[in-house]
Amino acid sequence: MSGKKERNKERREKRLQEISLLRTLPYSDRQRWWSKETIAVVTGANRGIGFEIARQLAGHGLTVILTSRDTSVGIEAAKVLQEMGFNVDVHQLDILDSELISAFIDWIKQKYGGVDILVSNAGVNYNLGYDNSVEFARRVIETNYYGTKNMIKAMIPVMRPSAVGARIVNVSSRLGRLNGRRNRIQDANLREKLTNLETLSEELIDRTVSSFLQQVEDEIWQSGGWPQTFTDYSVSKLAVSAYTRLLAKELSDRPQGEKIYVNCYCPGWVKTAMTGWQGNISPEVAADTGVWLALLSDQTITGKFFAERREINF
Ligand code: NDP
């Protein structure tokens, strides 16, 4: 391993040790704004990082609604948490299915009245290792970007007003960083437009992902200047991160008491089905930053991107 790689690895390991220490510190009464009445929805929570986020939030005493696209799998996963004594409810939800999204929202309204936290975790990736197939590009973009966005849009009207504000946490990925050193969009002009909040718009994000999908269809995407690693997935997560910033800006002029804070984070490279159980951290560690963001009492943080509880650049 090169000296630089070695140093980066050491730095990351040190940070993970710091976080495992931080996780042992209980929240103080001043920080603990939530209770059993606080409702958190987690998408794709039947396994992997989503399940862990649900488990940890429930462990902090919130009521968690574990959602799963397969009803029976969701019920089984929820049962594990219920048997641990946690307040966990379960509902079917496929973020690609607008009717299921509506049915879920109706159920929420009837049973709980509203929601305080949404964790958009559901996602797909069909590549492993050095593969870079775009065979499922449309499904990847539809799920990770449009599915996440549609779910958020449906949820916002049922997010409850509160003094501390509601929260949306989107699980993104460093692979989708706009201005990372590697794996970024080559077109500096497009990067600038997507980075600058004055020029960033939903239409621009949609147009960017559509242009990628069109190039996939035309079989010219390889020379399109897209990220080189897990291209479809990286484009989808780039869109999720950009949308996070945009939405945070759009929601920022809400009056006090009706605020919704929106952030995204990269969980790291995690041992889950998505990575074929490769990865260098457990789902438990990977869930940490998401849970921390969901429970943050600092109300100034919105529209940011985090990894290992630290802000990183988009
Ligand atoms: P898993 O494959 O273990 O879990 C993905 C979850 O998303 C599953 O519950 C899956 O449901 C669900 N899901 C997929 N499509 C839909 C859909 N249309 N509607 C509802 N739920 C759906 O992956 P991870 O736990 O690793 O990934 C969780 C999140 O973390 C993803 O957004 C991923 O992109 C992100 N991430 C993961 C990294 C990693 O290294 N693992 C790195 C960076 C980001 P089902 O069980 O039915 O398939």
Side-chain angles (χ1 to χ4, degrees):
M1 200 184 290
S2 74
K4 192 164 174 224
K5 264 194 175 164
E6 188 70 46
R7 277 196 303 280
N8 281 344
K9 186 164 175 254
E10 275 171 22
R11 211 175 298 141
R12 216 196 61 242
E13 276 168 6
K14 187 160 166 271
R15 182 62 189 154
L16 290 175
Q17 275 174 10
E18 283 166 14
I19 288 176
S20 66
L21 187 68
L22 287 170
R23 289 186 57 212
T24 63
L25 301 175
Y27 282 89
S28 68
D29 287 346
R30 195 185 55 80
Q31 290 169 316
R32 188 183 286 271
W33 56 267
W34 62 90
S35 70
K36 187 172 159 252
E37 271 40 77
T38 307
I39 311 292
V41 168
V42 185
T43 66
N46 53 291
R47 61 176 158 114
I49 300 167
F51 177 78
E52 257 307 309
I53 292 176
R55 188 182 74 82
Q56 291 182 27
L57 286 173
H60 283 295
L62 292 85
T63 293
V64 174
I65 298 165
L66 181 155
T67 67
S68 163
R69 61 178 162 176
D70 182 314
T71 310
S72 56
V73 172
I75 290 172
E76 283 307 308
K79 210 185 274 172
V80 173
L81 301 180
Q82 287 155 351
E83 280 169 5
M84 293 167 94
F86 295 149
N87 295 309
V88 172
D89 205 343
V90 57
H91 201 278
Q92 186 193 14
L93 180 67
D94 182 331
I95 59 166
L96 284 176
D97 187 327
S98 57
E99 280 178 22
L100 285 181
I101 294 182
S102 297
F104 175 68
I105 300 289
D106 289 345
W107 176 81
I108 284 279
K109 278 196 229 160
Q110 273 194 353
K111 188 159 181 187
Y112 293 98
V115 163
D116 305 287
I117 296 169
L118 167 65
V119 181
S120 315
N121 163 81
V124 290
N125 174 28
Y126 295 95
N127 285 303
L128 277 177
Y130 291 103
D131 299 343
N132 197 21
S133 159
V134 292
E135 188 184 348
F136 301 106
R138 189 161 292 276
R139 192 169 180 88
V140 171
I141 300 281
E142 291 285 348
T143 307
N144 297 0
Y145 172 54
Y146 288 109
T148 297
K149 182 168 80 160
N150 292 341
M151 179 61 194
I152 291 173
K153 285 190 177 182
M155 284 288 287
I156 285 177
V158 290
M159 297 208 74
R160 287 201 283 223
S162 75
V164 287
R167 291 105 203 277
I168 299 174
V169 179
N170 297 326
V171 184
S172 191
S173 168
R174 279 191 191 94
L175 281 174
R177 279 181 65 198
L178 264 177
N179 295 302
R181 249 172 306 158
R182 285 181 307 249
N183 211 43
R184 61 183 188 183
I185 291 180
Q186 297 300 307
D187 181 346
N189 186 33
L190 177 58
R191 274 206 320 269
E192 162 58 22
K193 280 197 195 138
L194 286 164
T195 306
N196 186 339
L197 269 175
E198 297 300 313
T199 47
L200 179 62
S201 66
E202 190 173 337
E203 197 260 325
L204 176 66
I205 305 171
D206 288 5
R207 195 153 25 93
T208 304
V209 301
S210 298
S211 142
F212 168 65
L213 287 176
Q214 187 59 51
Q215 290 186 19
V216 168
E217 208 166 285
D218 298 341
E219 297 180 13
I220 54 166
W221 65 278
Q222 268 165 316
S223 53
W226 301 102
Q228 311 271 295
T229 304
F230 294 176
T231 304
D232 53 7
Y233 180 78
S234 297
V235 171
S236 75
K237 291 298 190 183
L238 182 150
V240 167
S241 300
Y243 183 65
T244 302
R245 274 188 89 209
L246 179 69
L247 185 65
K249 182 188 163 204
E250 285 174 3
L251 295 174
S252 65
D253 56 7
R254 286 191 158 206
Q256 197 58 36
E258 289 174 32
K259 298 266 188 212
I260 302 179
Y261 302 102
V262 196
N263 293 292
C264 60
Y265 91 103
C266 175
W269 188 39
V270 194
K271 290 180 203 296
T272 62
M274 185 174 282
T275 59
W277 315 102
Q278 301 294 302
N280 49 18
I281 56 169
S282 64
E284 188 182 345
V285 174
D288 173 76
T289 301
V291 171
W292 173 76
L293 278 171
L295 299 182
L296 218 55
S297 49
D298 182 341
Q299 295 171 25
T300 57
I301 297 179
T302 192
K304 307 285 190 214
F305 193 0
F306 287 84
E308 287 132 24
R309 295 197 187 191
R310 283 195 178 131
E311 191 184 337
I312 58 174
N313 290 330
F314 280 88

